[in-house]
Amino acid sequence: MRFRHPDGTPVHLAYCSNVHQAEDLAGVVAQLAAHAEPVRERLGVGRLGIGLWLARPAVTELAADKRALESLKAELVARGLETVTLNAFPYEGFHREVVKKDVYLPDWADPARLAYTLDCARVLAALLPDDARRGSISTLPLGWRTPWPTERADAARRALDELALGLRELESETGRRIRVGFEPEPGCVVETTTQAVREFADVDRDHLGVCLDACHLAVQFEDPGEALGRLADAGLPVVKLQASCAVEAPDPNEPRARAALRELAERRFLHQTRTISEGRVVGVDDLPDALDGEGLPAVPGIRTPWRTHFHAPLHAEPEPPLRTTADQLTTVLTGLLGGPNAVCDHIEVETYTWSVLPRPPADLADGIAAELAWARDRLTGLGLKEDHS
């Protein structure tokens, strides 16, 4: 879906296809008919944005076969879909039985990550609608924090310089600007906006910036206004917003809360969990570690919430006593789009956890459409006008 900010900036709203289990090109095309088009029909809109996740095998095929690329673009147009953003964080195997920390591989110290991302950029430049101003790609925040010795950090820095050079060359060749946003995430080399400002202080701001994930921001207990101000003061652009909610247990000592959290402690994805202790954010790398270990304080008689990296549906609160950080997401949207100038023009709903919910929906398309309707209502409430052209 497209919107128009009062300052005239076009704003794109999409959902991310990493929720679907498809890693080759045939699977990607099939999911457009099986999932994306039904979502568009349920929303009753003529055009729906889809942020494609193209695993390495699909990108390899598209980058090598111009006719395959043209065919995919035609398929998108025929089904009333458009792509202005790619999610290039997972490389492949995102729907394996167990993913956990493998999602951070290859990291930015590995040449494979650079090659994959530049291939994604070439593919996106070809898929962009003719009237789109630019494209965006989200990627991991360099790598998992351990091990991250100096030689790997230096290799990643060189890769970012090569990435910026490659994106500049692509823009010169095609006339299409593609920007890459590094996505701060709990447990990674870059967890917070403070670290993002430090790590990306010298990057090419025309082509590199931050992908802000509202779930990750909440898990790290970052104040949205302060985080956005920090990025603005540093001149680090928000290339893309991933509209997402974390799960919060207001009182993790409560037996019902512990039981509900245990239902979320599934084995496929990593669910980093954080709390505040003595004025500091402290945490563990996965929810079972919080429930069964001693690494996360839950002091009897003191209500100190836990927040868990579990992307919860935007429109639906979990069973009490758990709740989501939807209010934080609304604050982020207001900060990015509620003022006289649009700070971000690509918004992607990224709830990839539908299949591992304790009670998955009977109809996935209904759930995704409900999330997008929730986001649409927030955008129009901020004064954006839906663009039906």
Side-chain angles (χ1 to χ4, degrees), residues 108 139-142 160 163 180-184 200 208-212:
W108 275 98
T139 186
L140 71 157
L142 302 183
L160 298 197
L163 173 65
V180 172
F182 296 85
E183 182 182 331
F200 305 121
L208 305 183
V210 166
C211 170
L212 198 61

Side-chain angles (χ1 to χ4, degrees), residues 93-102 261-271 286-288 310 355-357:
F94 193 56
H95 288 271
R96 292 199 309 260
E97 188 175 342
V98 178
V99 179
K100 298 295 182 180
K101 293 180 184 177
D102 286 351
L261 285 171
R262 197 165 292 281
E263 284 196 301
L264 300 179
E266 51 82 33
R267 65 194 303 263
R268 178 177 296 164
F269 300 119
L270 199 65
H271 300 298
D286 208 356
L287 181 56
F310 193 113
S355 64
V356 295
L357 288 171

Side-chain angles (χ1 to χ4, degrees), residues 114-135:
L114 173 64
Y116 168 63
T117 307
L118 286 174
D119 280 349
C120 284
R122 295 182 189 100
V123 168
L124 180 57
L127 292 179
L128 282 179
D130 293 340
D131 59 348
R133 292 199 309 167
R134 57 195 176 198

Side-chain angles (χ1 to χ4, degrees), residues 140-312:
L140 71 157
L142 302 183
W144 188 251
R145 70 185 185 281
T146 55
W148 195 252
T150 301
E151 58 268 24
R152 294 191 68 76
D154 291 344
R157 170 57 57 189
R158 291 192 295 272
L160 298 197
D161 291 340
E162 292 182 52
L163 173 65
L165 176 60
L167 295 174
R168 289 195 294 270
E169 290 176 346
L170 179 65
E171 183 172 2
S172 178
E173 294 167 8
T174 66
R176 315 310 298 269
R177 174 166 294 186
I178 307 297
R179 302 194 297 172
V180 172
F182 296 85
E183 182 182 331
E185 176 164 329
C188 291
V189 174
V190 179
E191 293 187 295
T192 66
T193 55
T194 298
Q195 292 170 321
V197 166
R198 182 179 68 241
E199 291 289 339
F200 305 121
D202 300 322
V203 299
D204 173 356
R205 306 301 175 86
D206 289 333
H207 295 92
L208 305 183
V210 166
C211 170
L212 198 61
D213 187 301
C215 171
H216 302 172
L217 195 76
V219 170
Q220 287 293 144
F221 286 87
E222 289 203 69
D223 177 86
E226 292 178 4
L228 293 176
R230 188 175 298 119
L231 295 172
D233 289 345
L236 195 59
V238 180
V239 168
K240 172 179 175 178
L241 170 68
Q242 285 184 328
S244 56
C245 296
V247 172
E248 180 176 275
D251 183 0
N253 293 295
E254 186 178 353
R256 288 193 306 150
R258 304 285 285 208
L261 285 171
R262 197 165 292 281
E263 284 196 301
L264 300 179
E266 51 82 33
R267 65 194 303 263
R268 178 177 296 164
F269 300 119
L270 199 65
H271 300 298
Q272 303 93 312
T273 303
R274 302 286 187 266
T275 191
I276 301 290
S277 177
E278 299 180 350
R280 295 175 53 250
V281 178
V282 296
V284 293
D285 287 342
D286 208 356
L287 181 56
D289 301 329
L291 294 169
D292 302 324
E294 299 180 356
L296 203 62
V299 181
I302 300 178
R303 288 170 58 90
T304 304
W306 287 3
R307 289 181 180 171
T308 295
H309 176 216
F310 193 113
H311 286 217

Side-chain angles (χ1 to χ4, degrees), residues 43-68:
L43 284 165
V45 296
R47 178 170 47 189
L48 176 70
I50 180 166
L52 288 177
W53 171 55
L54 300 172
R56 191 24 147 171
V59 169
T60 297
E61 185 173 351
L62 288 167
D65 188 341
K66 183 179 179 180
R67 284 190 295 183

